[in-house]
């Protein structure tokens, strides 16, 4: 079943996700860090460290949003990071942030769709995705496109929410994710659907072994899943 933010609308998931992120773009960074208690920053740092031995020079950041993952990837000292997203609102915030930090000589943000990447085959040394793959309208198509633009032996690092399985983390997580988070998100962002869509999209996402199997099926190699913080999130790594 396809989970969409605005159930009363007839447009497809991709259009609805773009609209949703446009609506919440100005509050997104605040809510992201506030609702995760800043843990999302630590998760990104951990994910980027998994690329350190590769020393990638050209990196693609998919579903870049406001550019946090791209900015974190600067610690790898790449020559170029290209971030793409389907939300013009999120990109506008990200471009402003990157320009204010004087990073626009290395990081370039573009409007783009993971399912139709406008890059040559075997172009990037690595790609990253932070909390974005569950928003894809056609998951396997997006993952296959990202593999196409990756160089041979290039590395994929995907950070995504997962579902904790152990008591009492599972129960606390479910209560927070399904009740507290949507209430605060709704109050601050003024978008009634956005933070209800978040837990719904996480519940529908094929996480853990199921996602690993999808990556293997598409031709990714050396696929690994690394659970974070009792399984609240996971980092998936793979090579081409």
């Amino acid at each position: 079943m396809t989970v969409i933010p605005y159930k009363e609308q007839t447009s497809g998931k991709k259009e609805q996700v773009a609209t949703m992120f446009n609506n919440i773009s100005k509050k997104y960074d605040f809510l992201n860090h506030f609702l995760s208690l800043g843990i999302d920053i630590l998760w990104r740092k951990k994910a980027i460290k998994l690329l350190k031995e590769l020393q990638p020079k050209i990196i693609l950041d998919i579903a870049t949003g406001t550019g946090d993952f791209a900015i974190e990837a600067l610690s790898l000292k790449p020559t170029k990071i290209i971030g793409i997203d389907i939300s013009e609102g999120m990109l506008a915030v990200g471009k402003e942030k990157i320009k204010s930090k004087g990073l626009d000589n290395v990081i370039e943000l573009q409007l783009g769709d993971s399912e139709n990447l406008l890059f040559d085959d075997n172009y990037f040394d690595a790609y990253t995705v932070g909390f974005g793959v569950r928003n894809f309208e056609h998951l396997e198509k997006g993952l296959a496109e990202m593999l196409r633009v990756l160089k041979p032996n290039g590395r994929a690092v995907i950070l995504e929410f997962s579902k904790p399985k152990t008591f009492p983390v599972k129960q606390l997580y479910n209560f927070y994710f399904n009740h507290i988070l949507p209430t605060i998100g709704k109050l601050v962002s003024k978008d009634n659907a956005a933070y209800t869509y978040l837990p719904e999209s996480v519940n529908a996402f094929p996480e853990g072994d199921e996602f690993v199997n999808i990556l293997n099926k598409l031709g990714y190699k050396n696929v690994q899943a690394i659970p974070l913080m009792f399984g609240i999130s996971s980092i998936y790594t793979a090579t081409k």
Side-chain angles (χ1 to χ4, degrees):
M1 188 186 78
T2 301
V3 175
I4 53 176
Y6 307 107
K7 296 171 181 61
E8 72 285 357
Q9 296 182 12
T10 56
S11 52
K13 180 173 179 176
K14 194 178 297 180
E15 290 78 13
Q16 290 202 22
V17 166
T19 298
M20 179 189 76
F21 280 113
N22 286 340
N23 290 345
I24 65 173
S25 57
K26 289 181 170 57
K27 302 287 185 181
Y28 179 81
D29 279 349
F30 166 75
L31 279 169
N32 208 20
H33 304 323
F34 176 75
L35 291 171
S36 72
L37 308 177
I39 295 165
D40 64 302
I41 299 168
L42 300 178
W43 289 340
R44 284 190 192 87
K45 288 182 185 295
K46 189 175 180 71
I48 290 299
K49 280 181 182 175
L50 296 173
L51 288 172
K52 196 168 185 181
E53 64 178 2
L54 184 67
Q55 290 293 293
K57 293 303 172 192
I58 306 176
I59 301 171
L60 176 64
D61 186 37
I62 302 278
T64 192
T66 63
D68 278 351
F69 221 167
I71 292 169
E72 191 60 51
L74 288 171
S75 63
L76 300 169
K77 296 182 170 53
T79 54
K80 189 71 177 176
I81 302 170
I82 298 176
I84 69 158
D85 203 281
I86 60 172
S87 166
E88 293 184 16
M90 295 286 276
L91 289 170
V93 174
K95 286 175 182 177
E96 193 65 35
K97 188 196 310 186
I98 286 161
K99 188 177 180 181
S100 71
K101 293 175 181 285
L103 303 174
D104 45 354
N105 59 325
V106 181
I107 301 174
E108 179 186 344
L109 301 188
Q110 303 177 1
L111 192 66
D113 177 4
S114 63
E115 296 173 22
N116 298 285
L117 294 171
L118 304 178
F119 303 107
D120 293 337
D121 296 357
N122 311 313
Y123 187 77
F124 293 96
D125 298 306
Y127 79 68
T128 56
V129 194
F131 306 109
V133 290
R134 75 179 190 286
N135 296 322
F136 290 3
E137 186 162 18
H138 305 104
L139 177 61
E140 292 192 14
K141 187 179 179 185
L143 293 170
E145 263 291 88
M146 286 142 60
L147 182 62
R148 177 185 68 78
V149 302
L150 203 57
K151 288 179 182 176
N153 300 312
R155 187 169 298 174
V157 175
I158 299 169
L159 175 60
E160 190 52 87
F161 287 114
S162 46
K163 299 182 280 289
K165 311 291 190 292
T166 57
F167 176 87
V169 179
K170 177 182 176 181
Q171 287 72 16
L172 290 169
Y173 169 88
N174 286 340
F175 179 75
Y176 179 74
F177 228 53
N178 291 301
H179 300 286
I180 306 296
L181 184 146
T183 302
I184 297 172
K186 191 185 297 184
L187 284 170
V188 177
S189 72
K190 309 302 183 192
D191 187 301
N192 290 344
Y195 290 87
T196 304
Y197 165 78
L198 175 56
E200 289 175 351
S201 65
V202 172
N203 285 331
F205 182 69
E207 45 103 16
D209 289 343
E210 198 177 345
F211 189 62
V212 167
N213 290 339
I214 291 170
L215 292 171
N216 281 322
K217 183 181 83 171
L218 293 171
Y220 285 84
K221 299 172 184 172
N222 308 309
V223 184
Q224 283 187 300
I226 305 165
L228 302 173
M229 203 175 170
F230 310 106
I232 290 173
S233 285
S234 296
I235 300 172
Y236 302 92
T237 64
T239 57
K240 182 170 180 177

